[in-house]
Amino acid sequence: MTPSSPDPPTRPRTTAGSWIRSVGSWIRSAPGTYIWLAALFVTAVIVHQMSPDFEEDFLRQRSTNIHELSRDPVRVLITSAFWIDGGHWVPYAVLYTVFHARAERWLGTLRWLAVALAAHALATLVSEGLLAWAIRHGHVPPAAANTLDVGVSYALAGVVAVLTYRTPAPWRYVYLFAVLVFYGIPLITGRTFTDLGHFTSVLIGLACYPLTRSRPKTKTPPAQ
C-alpha cells in the first residue's frame, strides 16, 4: 500500500483583524509621521469646505511670506506646516510613507523631527530673505511680499536628502545624484524663490549628517 503524501502546508489566512494590527504596528513605528499626516488630512478636509476666495485669504494669513513673517514669524512657521495649498492629501500620504516614515524609523522621532524642522524653517528664512532683497532692489514687485506660501515641501526635501546616508554604497551616489537633479533643474530653469527654498532644504538635509551618527536601531513593525 502506497503511503499517502502529507498535505501541503496551508498559508495562514489574512483576517481583517490581523490586517488592522499590521497597519497599527506600521503606524506606531513612525508615530510623528502619521500624526502629522493625520493633521494634514483634517486641514485638507477643512480647506475643501471653503470657497476659493475665502480659502486664498485664509491660507495667506498662515503663509510664510515676508508680510506674515515680519508680523509673527514663529506663528506662521508653525501653522504653515499644517496646511496644503489646494488640499490634495493623497500624494502627501504616499510621500510621507515613502520618505518621512522611513527616516523616522531610521533616525528616531526626535532626530527625524530635527531634520524636518531645520529644513522647513531655515529654507523658508533663506528663500524669503533673498526675496526681500530682490524686492528692496527693484528686481521683484512689492506685491511678492504677500504671496501665498504654505505647505510641507521644504521639510520633505530635507528628509529626502538626509536619506542619502541611509542608502548603501554604491547606490548612495546614484540616489544623491537623482536628488540633486530633481531639485536642481527647477532652480536653474525656474529660478523662483520656492525653487531656491527646495534646493536649500536639500543642502540642509545633507548637512544633517551628524544626526545620522550613533543613531538608534531602526524600528521595524513586529511580524504578525
Side-chain angles (χ1 to χ4, degrees), residues 175-190:
Y175 180 88
L176 176 60
F177 177 76
V179 171
L180 293 175
V181 168
F182 182 83
Y183 288 103
I185 288 179
L187 177 61
I188 295 171
T189 58

Side-chain angles (χ1 to χ4, degrees), residues 105-181:
R105 293 187 188 103
W106 172 47
L107 295 172
T109 299
L110 291 180
R111 296 187 188 195
W112 156 77
L113 189 59
V115 174
L117 291 180
H120 174 69
L122 296 179
T124 295
L125 296 177
V126 168
S127 59
E128 293 296 334
L130 182 63
L131 181 61
W133 178 90
I135 293 173
R136 189 176 304 115
H137 290 81
H139 300 298
V140 177
N146 200 31
T147 55
L148 179 59
D149 184 23
V150 295
V152 295
S153 58
Y154 290 174
L156 178 62
V159 168
V160 167
V162 81
L163 282 171
T164 297
Y165 305 118
R166 177 62 171 164
T167 308
W171 297 108
R172 172 177 302 176
Y173 308 105
V174 177
Y175 180 88
L176 176 60
F177 177 76
V179 171
L180 293 175
V181 168

Side-chain angles (χ1 to χ4, degrees), residues 35-206:
I35 290 172
W36 193 358
L37 195 57
L40 289 176
F41 176 78
V42 172
T43 58
V45 171
I46 294 172
V47 165
H48 279 298
Q49 310 306 313
M50 300 177 182
S51 66
D53 291 340
F54 182 80
E55 175 187 340
E56 182 176 351
D57 183 63
F58 179 86
L59 293 180
R60 197 180 302 279
Q61 294 177 32
R62 288 151 181 81
S63 295
T64 50
N65 54 43
I66 296 171
H67 178 69
E68 295 296 336
L69 281 170
S70 64
R71 295 177 58 190
D72 194 344
V74 175
R75 176 184 65 82
V76 293
L77 281 171
I78 294 173
T79 58
S80 65
F82 290 96
W83 298 91
I84 304 171
D85 186 15
H88 299 296
W89 180 83
V90 173
Y92 285 96
V94 174
L95 292 171
Y96 268 52
T97 298
V98 172
F99 295 106
H100 276 297
R102 182 180 175 216
E104 185 178 1
R105 293 187 188 103
W106 172 47
L107 295 172
T109 299
L110 291 180
R111 296 187 188 195
W112 156 77
L113 189 59
V115 174
L117 291 180
H120 174 69
L122 296 179
T124 295
L125 296 177
V126 168
S127 59
E128 293 296 334
L130 182 63
L131 181 61
W133 178 90
I135 293 173
R136 189 176 304 115
H137 290 81
H139 300 298
V140 177
N146 200 31
T147 55
L148 179 59
D149 184 23
V150 295
V152 295
S153 58
Y154 290 174
L156 178 62
V159 168
V160 167
V162 81
L163 282 171
T164 297
Y165 305 118
R166 177 62 171 164
T167 308
W171 297 108
R172 172 177 302 176
Y173 308 105
V174 177
Y175 180 88
L176 176 60
F177 177 76
V179 171
L180 293 175
V181 168
F182 182 83
Y183 288 103
I185 288 179
L187 177 61
I188 295 171
T189 58
R191 294 185 292 181
T192 67
F193 76 95
T194 52
D195 295 329
L196 173 65
H198 287 130
F199 197 78
T200 301
S201 298
V202 168
L203 299 181
I204 292 168
L206 294 174

